[in-house]
Amino acid sequence: MENTTIAVSNEIKEKIKQFGTKGETYSEILARVLESARKRQLHDLLMSEEDTISIEEAISNSKKRWQK
């Protein structure tokens, strides 16, 4: 895998380091943190109540459709 250099402040570097364990590279730390963030975004999307209806309402809507 090819590497690249990214510039971050020393403050951010120390914050990244706090997420790591002994011997873990910054790349490994960031990969793990990003994977966790991706899973959290998916969780938040799936658990969002925006544009949702209750199970009871869905059943009622389904029954109405079948009665037509």
Side-chain angles (χ1 to χ4, degrees), residues 16 19-21 24 27-37:
I16 294 169
F19 279 93
T21 58
E24 196 172 24
S27 185
E28 291 167 336
I29 296 168
L30 291 172
R32 186 170 34 79
V33 170
L34 290 169
E35 178 65 15
S36 177

Side-chain angles (χ1 to χ4, degrees), residues 38-48:
R38 186 190 64 77
K39 287 178 181 178
R40 180 60 194 219
Q41 282 181 330
L42 180 58
H43 172 270
D44 290 349
L45 175 68
L46 293 174
M47 299 306 291
S48 172

Side-chain angles (χ1 to χ4, degrees), residues 12-28:
I12 295 299
K13 179 182 174 184
E14 290 305 312
K15 288 181 179 183
I16 294 169
K17 191 188 293 188
Q18 290 174 1
F19 279 93
T21 58
K22 186 174 183 176
E24 196 172 24
T25 66
Y26 287 106
S27 185
E28 291 167 336

Side-chain angles (χ1 to χ4, degrees), residues 47 49 51-65:
M47 299 306 291
E49 293 184 18
D51 297 327
T52 61
I53 60 173
S54 68
I55 292 173
E56 292 80 13
E57 188 177 351
I59 292 170
S60 176
N61 289 348
S62 178
K63 286 180 181 177
K64 288 176 187 175
R65 288 186 186 135

